[in-house]
Amino acid sequence: MFGPEIHALLRFDSQYENLSQADQECLEEEDKGRALLCAACRHLVTRSNEKIDVHGKHTHVFFNPAGIVFELGCFRAAPGCTLWGRPTLEFTWFDGYAWRVCLCSRCRTHMGWHYASVHGSGEFYGLILSHLIAGQE
């Protein structure tokens, strides 16, 4: 009577109804994005659903004038960060974007940089991926 696609959907729905409370909470957590925490103090920095692509990709690798290499992930928001310093275009890794340092708002660990367009067309966070861990709030 029903095609295989409908049967698959019905099986999924009935399986979802029978999930344990913990499994349902896990699915809800995935819907709002997995928590990404400061690796130093476990403070919530951002969520996985805040990931964005900048210049065609989410992850970028750069080095600073001192030769230190950073692997960054781009995020639209990082409410667990505090911005420090004045915006500058000096040695920016993203043309047309001024940057400021961002720190964990709890322990003040360097988490990456906040970028704001000098043309007023947006902003994002470039967070150091090795300074983030996936976890629970």
Side-chain angles (χ1 to χ4, degrees):
M1 176 178 234
F2 296 110
E5 301 86 23
I6 298 297
H7 285 290
L9 286 172
L10 292 173
R11 274 195 308 277
F12 176 78
D13 287 344
S14 66
Q15 288 173 350
Y16 183 77
E17 289 173 7
N18 294 326
L19 288 176
S20 69
Q21 181 67 29
D23 288 339
Q24 287 181 16
E25 288 173 7
C26 184
L27 284 175
E28 290 170 9
E29 182 73 17
E30 287 177 14
D31 286 345
K32 66 180 181 177
R34 180 134 195 201
L36 298 175
L37 313 175
C38 170
C41 73
R42 307 297 195 261
H43 179 65
L44 177 64
V45 173
T46 190
R47 294 189 167 279
S48 61
N49 64 351
E50 297 293 344
K51 290 180 181 180
I52 59 170
D53 286 354
V54 175
H55 298 308
K57 56 187 179 176
H58 166 69
T59 304
H60 300 264
V61 177
F62 298 110
F63 63 92
N64 68 9
I68 300 170
V69 176
F70 295 95
E71 182 178 15
L72 305 181
C74 299
F75 297 84
R76 83 175 53 81
C81 284
T82 299
L83 302 182
W84 183 80
R86 295 186 179 199
T88 182
L89 288 168
E90 186 176 341
F91 207 75
T92 186
W93 291 323
F94 296 96
D95 290 336
Y97 286 86
W99 58 269
R100 297 171 71 184
V101 170
C102 65
L103 309 172
C104 171
S105 58
R106 178 186 287 164
C107 72
R108 302 296 189 238
T109 293
H110 178 214
M111 298 304 298
W113 297 267
H114 173 263
Y115 292 90
S117 171
V118 296
H119 307 294
S121 60
E123 62 182 323
F124 67 93
Y125 291 81
L127 301 179
I128 303 167
L129 294 178
S130 64
H131 293 194
L132 293 171
I133 59 168
Q136 295 182 358
E137 297 176 64

